[in-house]
């Protein structure tokens, strides 16, 4: 949604403008054609044709969403060029609709863009049976007990991170990037990343940037217009065709190249166990499969593997970047966590997964980072598969439905003093309700994050290892002010961090970070 609407409008040519007018007339027709039945939920009054397009905030959005929630209640109804956008503002409504009626609320919006870019194989964009099959394939290797298989890689990567931070403490961003991309590429393709400039990481990042265009304003036009997607003239005039072709090329490269590389490694005997190699072994062991069935299963595996990088890295990177900044700003929290680690490890070794249960304060820090830096403050948008009626109001088929996770994570009834970073809120019996509510950081119903267990393990081993080895503090600014953690506006809330000094806690911890026993 991070779209600059005014830039978009000013960039339109006359022909584009004509198309916009025609599209808008179509939307008006659709709106007027709706008669009778339950009312729509309340929301700010829309403008003719464009709906609430200009009221949907592009920056400093939270006070505005909050004021709408206060005025209109738990469900806010907006429209963007005729597409209904429904914002759910209470935990009760979010659970009742997105979890309990998951069969209706688990589509993804922006279907036309997906068709246009031939992206009907991308798990995160598709709906229905095809999404279910791919999700099951991913879960088989990344969720539940299977997620434990990744732990030895995750521990190795946390060791590499602390050794790199010791050598290059000023390259925090690159160190985090190498760490998060290596963790997921090892788990998926058995591929270790040895620098932030790695060529595969570069390609993956390119596809990721392209994917952001799928949320742009033209995407909405294409979605709502009367078969606009079939208008080659419009597409070529707007320059949109070029962008679409580029998205297709980059996505295809990311789908095919790393997969073939792993297959090659299996053939020459150098593959390490990972999602792709293990799943290919499973396919090969099914003797009854015909060559066509083998091909189909391999294609499916290729689809699933290719989304893991994008799904895993941005969310984990944002969380880790916020973690470093928050630790540097909260030395008492850091010190208390270090004391816990010292007690468990007797200052003789780095933490391992066996220590997880015995480090509840580290877990509380992770939960508080996830809450404080709500990575997807409006969740990832879901779409409705059919009309639904809830408490007397209509949620139309094809609506984009967003859970206002931000407002729930800042509800003082659940999280007292919500703007303060305070891991204690998650501890003990009193922390039971906050811990339970925090589950929504991982999404809803049939779309909830299939990488959750993988991510939780990665965050535990990484964060505990970093806290064990280092002290973190904000570097002094030229004016002597203490920096604050700010965030970019948008669907993904990326932290704007500041220079952080990262120093080993002692010579002993420096030796452990360096890997010298
Ligand atoms: C801090 C780390 C992470 C957070 C906070 C996070 C959160 C989320 C959220 C909120 C969603 C959307 C759920 C919904 O639509 O209701 C999601 C989807 C997804 N996540 Fe994660 N995630 C993280 C890490 C990972 C990792 C490490 C992986 C892979 C191992 C992963 C794989 C996926 C996939 C494949 C989807 C798409 C599911 C679908 O569309 O059906 N995530 N995640």
């Amino acid at each position: 949604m991070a779209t600059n609407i005014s830039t978009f409008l000013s960039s339109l040519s006359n022909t584009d403008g004509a198309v916009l007018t025609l599209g808008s007339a179509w939307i008006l027709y659709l709106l007027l054609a709706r008669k009778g039945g339950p009312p729509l939920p309340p929301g700010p009054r829309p403008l003719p044709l464009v709906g609430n397009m200009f009221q949907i905030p592009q920056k400093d959005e939270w006070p505005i969403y909050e004021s709408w929630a206060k005025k209109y209640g738990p469900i806010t109804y907006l429209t963007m060029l005729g597409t209904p956008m429904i914002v759910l503002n209470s935990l009760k409504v979010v659970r009742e609709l997105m979890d309990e009626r998951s069969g209706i609320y688990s589509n993804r919006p922006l279907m036309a863009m997906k068709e246009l870019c031939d992206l009907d194989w991308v798990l995160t964009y598709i709906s229905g049976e095809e999404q279910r099959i791919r999700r099951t394939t991913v879960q088989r290797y990344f969720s539940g007990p299977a997620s434990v298989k990744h732990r030895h890689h995750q521990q190795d990567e946390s060791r590499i991170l602390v050794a790199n931070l010791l050598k290059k403490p000023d390259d925090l961003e690159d160190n985090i990037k190498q760490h998060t991309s290596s963790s997921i590429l090892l788990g998926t393709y058995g591929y270790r990343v040895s620098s932030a400039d790695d060529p595969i990481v570069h390609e993956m990042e390119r596809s990721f940037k392209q994917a952001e265009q799928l949320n742009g304003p033209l995407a909405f036009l294409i979605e709502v217009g009367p078969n606009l997607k079939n208008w080659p003239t419009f597409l070529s005039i707007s320059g949109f065709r070029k962008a679409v072709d580029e998205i297709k090329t980059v996505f295809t490269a990311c789908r095919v190249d790393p997969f073939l590389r792993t297959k090659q490694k299996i053939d020459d005997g150098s593959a390490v166990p990972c999602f792709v190699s293990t799943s290919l072994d499973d396919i090969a062991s099914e003797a009854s499969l015909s060559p066509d069935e083998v091909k189909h299963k391999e294609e499916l595996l290729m689809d699933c593997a290719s989304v893991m990088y994008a799904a895993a890295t941005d969310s984990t990177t944002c969380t880790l970047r916020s973690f470093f900044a928050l630790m540097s700003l909260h030395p008492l929290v850091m010190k208390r966590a270090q004391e816990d680690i010292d007690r468990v490890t007797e200052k003789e070794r780095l933490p391992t997964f066996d220590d997880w249960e015995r480090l509840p304060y580290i877990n509380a820090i992770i939960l508080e980072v996830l809450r404080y830096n709500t990575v997807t403050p409006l969740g990832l948008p879901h779409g409705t598969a059919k009309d639904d009626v809830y408490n007397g109001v209509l949620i139309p088929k094809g609506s984009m439905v967003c859970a206002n996770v931000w407002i729930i994570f800042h509800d003082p009834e659940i999280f007292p003093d919500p703007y303060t970073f305070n891991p204690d809120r998650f501890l003990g019996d009193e922390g039971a309700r906050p811990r339970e509510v925090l589950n929504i950081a991982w999404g809803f119903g049939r779309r909830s994050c299939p990488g959750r267990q993988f991510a939780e393990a990665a965050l535990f081993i990484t964060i505990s290892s970093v806290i064990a080895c280092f002290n973190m503090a904000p570097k002094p600014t030229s004016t002597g002010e203490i920096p604050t953690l700010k965030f970019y506006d948008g669907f993904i809330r990326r932290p704007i961090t500041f220079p952080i000094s990262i120093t080993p806690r002692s010579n002993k911890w420096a030796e452990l970070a360096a890997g010298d026993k």
Side-chain angles (χ1 to χ4, degrees):
M1 198 69 51
T3 57
N4 188 330
I5 306 292
S6 48
T7 313
F8 156 60
L9 288 176
S10 62
S11 71
L12 292 176
S13 68
N14 289 342
T15 317
D16 289 334
V19 175
L20 178 59
T21 311
L22 273 170
S24 305
W26 173 253
I27 292 157
L28 184 63
Y29 164 75
L30 290 179
L31 288 174
L32 294 177
R34 204 187 150 268
K35 290 193 211 97
L40 294 166
R45 183 187 285 270
L47 292 171
L49 308 178
V50 291
N52 304 99
M53 192 157 154
F54 297 105
Q55 290 145 292
I56 292 176
Q58 304 301 306
K59 58 192 298 231
D60 302 330
E61 58 262 66
W62 299 111
I64 297 174
Y65 281 118
E66 210 164 352
S67 70
W68 286 340
K70 278 192 187 127
K71 191 163 176 192
Y72 304 113
I75 305 182
T76 310
Y77 182 86
L78 302 154
T79 62
M80 283 275 280
L81 289 167
T83 298
M85 176 180 165
I86 306 233
V87 184
L88 308 177
N89 299 308
S90 90
L91 184 65
K92 181 173 180 287
V93 176
V94 163
R95 290 247 159 97
E96 287 182 358
L97 295 184
M98 297 180 84
D99 280 333
E100 288 169 24
R101 299 188 191 178
S102 179
I104 300 176
Y105 287 82
S106 289
N107 277 5
R108 287 280 188 227
L110 292 183
M111 304 304 286
M113 276 303 286
K114 178 211 76 189
E115 270 172 45
L116 199 64
C117 298
D118 295 337
L119 297 180
D120 54 356
W121 51 273
V122 179
L123 163 63
T124 33
Y125 301 148
I126 58 179
S127 306
E129 186 58 8
E130 288 300 313
Q131 182 256 348
R132 196 192 61 75
I133 294 171
R134 283 163 179 76
R135 183 178 170 84
T136 309
T137 308
V138 167
Q139 280 175 322
R140 210 175 293 135
Y141 200 78
F142 284 94
S143 305
S147 65
V148 176
K149 287 183 198 159
H150 299 275
R151 290 198 182 165
H152 66 283
H153 283 325
Q154 290 176 319
Q155 187 158 306
D156 288 352
E157 289 305 306
S158 70
R159 303 309 189 235
I160 294 173
L161 174 69
V162 290
N164 285 344
L165 284 172
L166 189 69
K167 280 185 263 174
K168 296 183 186 169
D170 292 335
D171 292 352
L172 180 60
E173 301 288 313
D174 278 357
N175 282 325
I176 294 177
K177 188 171 166 194
Q178 178 185 333
H179 171 73
T180 50
S181 43
S182 199
S183 300
I184 191 63
L185 290 177
L186 266 174
T188 308
Y189 297 106
Y191 179 81
R192 169 157 280 135
V193 173
S194 50
S195 93
D197 306 325
D198 182 278
I200 291 199
V201 172
H202 181 75
E203 269 307 288
M204 294 281 180
E205 291 287 321
R206 246 183 89 204
S207 88
F208 198 57
K209 297 231 159 56
Q210 296 285 354
E212 295 204 330
Q213 293 196 38
L214 300 179
N215 292 331
L218 277 171
F220 276 96
L221 257 188
I222 298 234
E223 185 59 33
V224 299
N227 283 328
L228 279 185
K229 55 186 173 282
N230 296 329
W231 289 22
T233 321
F234 163 69
L235 293 176
S236 53
I237 287 171
S238 68
F240 197 57
R241 168 70 65 196
K242 196 163 163 267
V244 165
D245 286 345
E246 208 170 328
I247 291 174
K248 280 191 206 171
T249 312
V250 174
F251 267 73
T252 307
C254 287
R255 176 174 178 263
V256 178
D257 297 351
F259 184 83
L260 293 183
R261 180 190 286 254
T262 305
K263 261 192 125 179
Q264 178 63 45
K265 290 204 163 193
I266 295 173
D267 290 345
D268 68 25
S270 64
V272 290
C274 60
F275 175 43
V276 169
S277 67
T278 309
S279 307
L280 283 172
D281 282 350
D282 291 347
I283 296 171
S285 67
E286 285 187 64
S288 60
L289 292 178
S290 70
D292 276 353
E293 285 168 327
V294 169
K295 186 165 179 286
H296 175 71
K297 286 202 166 211
E298 288 195 5
E299 292 274 329
L300 194 77
L301 177 60
M302 198 178 340
D303 295 350
C304 295
S306 73
V307 303
M308 300 315 284
Y309 179 90
T313 47
D314 209 20
S315 44
T316 315
T317 301
C318 286
T319 307
L320 286 178
R321 291 178 61 215
S322 293
F323 155 74
F324 277 94
L326 287 164
M327 275 312 93
S328 77
L329 295 172
H330 296 89
L332 295 180
V333 171
M334 182 176 65
K335 196 161 180 315
R336 184 165 152 198
Q338 286 166 339
E339 283 164 7
D340 274 10
I341 289 174
D342 291 351
R343 178 177 45 78
V344 166
T345 63
E346 296 176 346
K347 302 187 194 174
E348 290 297 330
R349 57 176 178 82
L350 290 170
T352 68
F353 282 108
D354 291 339
D355 303 319
W356 203 344
E357 294 281 306
R358 293 187 292 155
L359 290 170
Y361 194 60
I362 295 284
N363 276 320
I365 290 176
I366 294 170
L367 296 179
E368 183 65 341
V369 173
L370 287 168
R371 185 195 72 86
Y372 193 91
N373 171 27
T374 316
V375 179
T376 47
L378 281 183
L380 278 196
H382 287 211
T384 42
K386 59 177 189 172
D387 281 356
D388 188 29
V389 177
Y390 176 77
N391 285 350
V393 294
L394 174 73
I395 313 287
K397 175 181 175 182
S399 299
M400 174 192 279
V401 182
C402 298
N404 195 338
V405 179
W406 171 268
I407 222 168
I408 297 168
F409 282 179
H410 291 79
D411 178 348
E413 302 268 306
I414 310 170
F415 301 104
D417 195 8
Y419 292 92
T420 299
F421 179 78
N422 173 19
D424 277 296
R425 66 173 88 248
F426 290 104
L427 290 175
D429 290 346
E430 285 191 359
R433 173 139 165 87
R435 287 199 296 275
E436 194 267 321
V437 173
L438 205 94
N439 283 321
I440 66 169
W442 306 97
F444 308 95
R446 297 177 190 176
R447 304 261 20 164
S448 66
C449 176
R452 174 177 175 170
Q453 277 100 350
F454 179 98
E456 285 174 330
L459 290 174
F460 166 73
I461 200 68
T462 306
I463 284 178
S464 59
S465 306
V466 169
I467 291 181
C469 297
F470 301 106
N471 285 325
M472 292 152 262
K475 285 195 177 166
T477 61
S478 50
T479 54
E481 285 163 39
I482 297 185
T484 49
L485 178 56
K486 299 197 176 106
F487 298 90
Y488 291 105
D489 301 301
F491 246 130
I492 306 273
R493 197 161 173 264
R494 299 191 172 96
I496 308 171
T497 51
F498 42 81
I500 297 170
S501 147
I502 299 172
T503 48
R505 272 207 290 155
S506 66
N507 288 343
K508 173 77 182 179
W509 283 111
E511 281 169 24
L512 289 168
D516 309 332
K517 300 275 151 50

